[in-house]
Amino acid sequence: MLDLQAIRADFPALAQSVHGRPLVYLDSAATSQKPRAVIEAVARFYQEDNANVHRGVHELAERATLALEGAREKVRGFVNAAPAAEIVFLRGTTEAVNLIAHSFGRARVGPGDEVLVTALEHHSNLVPWQLLCAERGATLRVCGIDERGDLRLDELDRLLGPRTRLLAVSHVSNALGTVSPIKAIVERAHARGVPVLVDGAQAVAHLAVDVRELGCDFYAFSGHKMYGPMGIGVLYGRAALLEEMAPWQSGGEMVSEVSFERATWQPPPRRFEAGTPDVAGAVGLGAAIDWLDRLDRKSVLAHERALLARGRAALEKIAGLRLLPGGRESSAVLSFALDKLHPHDVGTVLDLEGVAVRTGHLCAQPLLRLLGLSSTVRASLAAYNTEADLDALVNALHQARATLGG
Ligand code: PLP
């Protein structure tokens, strides 16, 4: 059994009122709140260990380097990568996808080739591929979804062709919550010799991710969506692929030997970590992993699933509310439209009731368009949410309807 009160007590930001109402935070898919252990780990780094890494011989530089590499080891364990060199620290999922597009993509994708994405992608796993395809004279293919919000695997099979150079697919959709069967998808792609990049931004806070079990080639995620700090993220890449990749950004720390004419590169991961890294962010991410590890993750998942089912059932009872599909397996997201009311107006009324949700196109404009919408309201869940939060959402939606008509 989860001790929800104890979990909530770990999050100072949850214990506040907004507009005179207790905060009901249902926007964790945008960014989760941070437990005290993470906030304190970041502060402690700056108070006690702050120094630049990999380049000093003094005590603080040594401690900072150990802290960064210790965090890398924690992330390695968290996703079950084999060597820690497969873990690259970056700013977040967006930067990880851009790194793959600029380095791996430029080397592998040429005129007439194809990159395959899906209709479920967040803009950050779509636009970099549009730019790459335009630059290389390649074609972007998009695998569609069915009426339940699941990827059409038959279509995926058809689209995986002899010119496909990469499949980029989200583990969990940020707009619908659909959990895609990554292991099966990777098997299909690999059977045709196509490498797979998984956008795990919405997965890692909820599902236990094992990159070796999934079999994917790359897996990207952001610290701030899994109780860690903003500004730090991770790219897992299979060692053999990272080895063959050229740097994208260059400068200090990623080089091995430099003359005025040329330079040689460090091995991964440092080849991809030019400049001073976000050491405090990595330390905070390590603390977030420790925090998650102290919970029983199976119970957290069961709790979030129960909340999701309860939320769906409650929202379905509201007349005029259109709940978007969430796939056969769904994670932590409730997206909906209320009558013809504009989602921003609904969100504003909810905010006045203390309920924080996301409204807009959710950085998934093509997907929403496919569903006949230009924007939506999204309530998203985390370990600290309660049934009372969902009741508050439902009450606030009734309030929105009363205030705005509809
Ligand atoms: N991919 C998905 C599925 C997301 O939900 C998000 C953020 O909302 C991103 C990528 C981008 O993450 P970040 O802004 O942390 O780089």
Side-chain angles (χ1 to χ4, degrees), residues 29-30 92-95 122 124 170 172-174 199 201-202 222 224-225:
T93 311
T94 303
E95 195 173 41
H122 185 279
S124 47
S170 53
V172 174
S173 153
N174 69 305
D199 169 353
Q202 294 296 344
S222 304
H224 71 96
K225 293 184 196 287

Side-chain angles (χ1 to χ4, degrees), residues 117-140:
V117 296
T118 86
L120 291 176
E121 301 317 307
H122 185 279
H123 294 166
S124 47
N125 198 26
L126 172 63
V127 181
W129 306 115
Q130 292 174 345
L131 290 178
L132 177 74
C133 287
E135 180 190 302
R136 310 304 287 178
T139 304
L140 190 66

Side-chain angles (χ1 to χ4, degrees), residues 202-247:
Q202 294 296 344
V204 282
H206 309 288
L207 311 172
V209 170
D210 180 331
V211 288
R212 281 190 275 178
E213 163 79 9
L214 293 175
C216 56
D217 301 280
F218 301 105
Y219 196 98
F221 57 99
S222 304
H224 71 96
K225 293 184 196 287
M226 51 166 287
Y227 310 105
M230 291 183 174
I232 186 78
V234 172
L235 174 69
Y236 154 80
R238 273 204 297 121
L241 293 179
L242 291 181
E243 289 285 349
E244 77 171 52
M245 281 165 52

Side-chain angles (χ1 to χ4, degrees), residues 74 114 131 169 176-177 281 335 337 347:
K74 276 183 194 167
E114 295 174 5
L131 290 178
V169 55
L176 301 184
S335 277

Side-chain angles (χ1 to χ4, degrees), residues 328-393:
R328 261 176 219 91
E329 187 186 345
S330 201
S331 171
V333 166
L334 297 155
S335 277
F336 54 91
L338 185 58
D339 297 319
K340 296 262 176 287
L341 299 177
H342 196 287
H344 285 314
D345 295 336
V346 175
T348 304
V349 176
L350 295 192
D351 178 50
L352 291 173
E353 298 293 314
V355 179
V357 294
R358 173 86 193 268
T359 61
H361 55 55
L362 309 181
C363 295
Q365 253 176 329
L367 172 62
L368 288 196
R369 223 171 274 133
L370 205 64
L371 297 165
L373 295 167
S374 59
S375 63
T376 170
V377 182
R378 180 186 70 190
S380 54
L381 304 169
Y384 39 68
N385 287 118
T386 61
E387 293 183 354
D389 291 343
L390 292 174
D391 295 345
L393 170 68

